[in-house]
Amino acid sequence: MDVSAAQVKTRASELGFDLCGIARAHPLPAERLDHWLERGWDAGLEYVRARREERLDPSRLVAGARSVVVIASSYGPAPQDPEPAPGEMSIARYARGRDYHNVVLKPVRKLAAWLRERGATVYAEVDAGAVMEKAWAQEAGLGWIGKNGCLIHERFGSWLLLGALVTDAELEADAPHPDRCGDCALCLPACPTEAIREPRYVDSARCIAYHTIEHREPIPDEIARRAGGRLFGCDACQDVCPWNRRAAPGTLVQLRPRTASLRVDDVLSLTHEQARQRFEGTPLLRAGRDGLVRTALAVAGVPPARARAFAVDGAPGVRAQAAALQRPGKVSTAPFTAPASGETR
């Protein structure tokens, strides 16, 4: 194969990636993943368990795998970026612009095609395949897995979106990145729902991001009460990270934020067509109209009388959440004010 590590990194830079590193392909130790799975901290996400062996062994994805190329794009905030407005439900930073799956996947595919033209076999993915991106990113020298479970880079902090390419091309590997969290553990108590059960281990069943994005059933009362009006995702553990206080802003125009928060009334009045038109091409479409309305009912302090109107909604999750608000003794979620930039509840 006529390709070198330096050429791969140059091509990755030309495609707009902020970082590119290379690790030697080998089976990953199973202990960390199994520790998480055995405690049920995956919250029953079957797609994780179903491809456990592939996640741990890149040769199951590419026969004769020799290298794992990891790329990263920053979505770090800039001073002029919009922030959540008081009284509105907040959106996680990564979801305020275009859907990163599409934005990052296109150049990843171009990099994969470039490698294939040079005789390599490649498996490429962005957060949707059987690759442990953060583990490989640390091995490839792009940063370290912080105590909040996020990959942290000295310049870009944890505001990073990752992609990975498993290939049979023999490429010079970078040195693994050392852990630089030190004694800092600000992220652990910053989590509103205490979802970081141990350093570097997040319990999805307690995570606001899981409940507002992946989960489709009613949001548990305890999670809803602590959600602080978060409509889609959560940045609490990243907002307090010292490495993020000086992180460089992202440069990809498509990832620049457009919408940082939404009014409760606007969400509750959404139709399916309005949601599609307004959020098409953004991560919010993953939740769709039904998921956004369900979450608004749970976290925004909607009065039971108003929630009653959703008891006959066409979406089972919305109906169930409306019914939950009618239970005797139900404690309504307290009114909220969106946090200022860099603050957490």
Side-chain angles (χ1 to χ4, degrees):
M1 300 177 196
D2 183 24
V3 62
S4 68
Q7 290 172 324
V8 171
K9 293 177 182 179
T10 296
R11 182 59 182 148
S13 178
E14 291 170 349
L15 290 169
F17 295 116
D18 292 298
L19 300 169
C20 178
I22 298 170
R24 179 181 60 82
H26 62 88
L28 292 170
E31 288 78 12
R32 282 188 53 79
L33 178 59
D34 288 345
H35 182 84
W36 186 65
L37 293 173
E38 287 165 2
R39 285 154 181 75
W41 292 340
D42 62 321
L45 294 172
E46 289 302 323
Y47 66 83
V48 178
R49 294 175 179 266
R51 303 186 71 179
R52 172 187 173 277
E53 288 73 20
E54 291 171 297
R55 293 178 188 281
L56 294 172
D57 187 355
S59 69
R60 290 176 175 264
L61 300 171
V62 173
R66 295 289 182 272
S67 308
V68 180
V69 179
V70 186
I71 56 79
S73 294
S74 169
Y75 65 100
Q80 69 272 21
D81 289 348
E83 292 293 334
E88 296 189 356
M89 296 180 293
S90 64
I91 298 167
R93 289 192 187 280
Y94 86 87
R96 296 176 186 178
R98 304 295 293 174
D99 190 340
Y100 73 93
H101 291 89
N102 298 325
V103 173
V104 179
L105 183 58
K106 288 179 181 178
V108 162
R109 285 176 171 167
K110 289 181 179 180
L111 183 58
W114 181 86
L115 281 166
R116 292 185 185 110
E117 290 170 359
R118 283 150 182 79
T121 300
V122 185
Y123 172 91
E125 61 86 58
V126 174
D127 194 31
V131 179
M132 305 272 281
E133 295 103 332
K134 288 182 288 187
W136 289 114
Q138 182 161 356
E139 290 219 9
L142 298 194
W144 69 98
I145 298 174
K147 292 177 183 176
N148 59 3
C150 298
L151 186 82
I152 303 175
H153 182 267
E154 292 180 356
R155 181 183 175 203
F156 295 107
S158 63
W159 309 116
L160 291 170
L161 304 168
L162 304 176
L165 301 90
V166 180
T167 177
D168 58 357
E170 187 80 54
L171 302 171
E172 182 181 356
D174 294 292
H177 201 292
D179 186 314
R180 292 203 170 136
C181 280
D183 295 331
C184 179
L186 290 174
C187 55
L188 275 67
C191 178
T193 57
E194 301 174 29
I196 308 176
R197 293 300 189 95
E198 301 173 15
R200 300 174 180 83
Y201 288 99
V202 177
D203 182 354
S204 298
R206 298 190 63 83
C207 180
I208 292 171
Y210 165 77
H211 282 287
T212 58
I213 300 172
E214 300 283 349
H215 191 56
R216 293 294 180 265
E217 302 301 319
I219 297 177
D221 288 350
E222 182 186 5
I223 304 299
R225 286 197 301 270
R226 299 186 183 192
R230 293 176 171 89
L231 177 67
F232 192 94
C234 178
D235 291 324
C237 66
Q238 299 189 81
D239 283 335
V240 299
C241 179
W243 292 98
N244 283 338
R245 295 173 191 165
R246 51 177 179 253
T251 57
L252 272 179
V253 173
Q254 301 97 315
L255 296 177
R256 293 260 50 90
R258 301 178 182 181
T259 304
S261 60
L262 292 170
R263 296 176 62 248
V264 178
D265 288 345
D266 289 347
V267 174
L268 293 180
S269 64
L270 279 173
T271 66
H272 287 283
E273 180 61 21
Q274 288 170 341
R276 187 190 66 77
Q277 291 180 352
R278 184 168 183 180
F279 304 127
E280 188 168 16
T282 78
L284 295 180
L285 203 60
R286 180 174 178 83
R289 177 267 176 192
D290 296 343
L292 294 174
V293 171
R294 187 256 355 224
T295 299
L297 289 172
V299 308
V302 177
R306 185 171 187 191
R308 197 173 298 125
F310 294 90
V312 293
D313 193 88
V318 173
R319 291 199 305 271
Q321 191 68 63
L325 293 176
Q326 310 301 317
R327 291 197 306 264
K330 163 69 179 177
V331 178
S332 177
T333 304
F336 60 91
T337 300
S341 176
E343 292 182 358
T344 57
R345 264 172 257 282

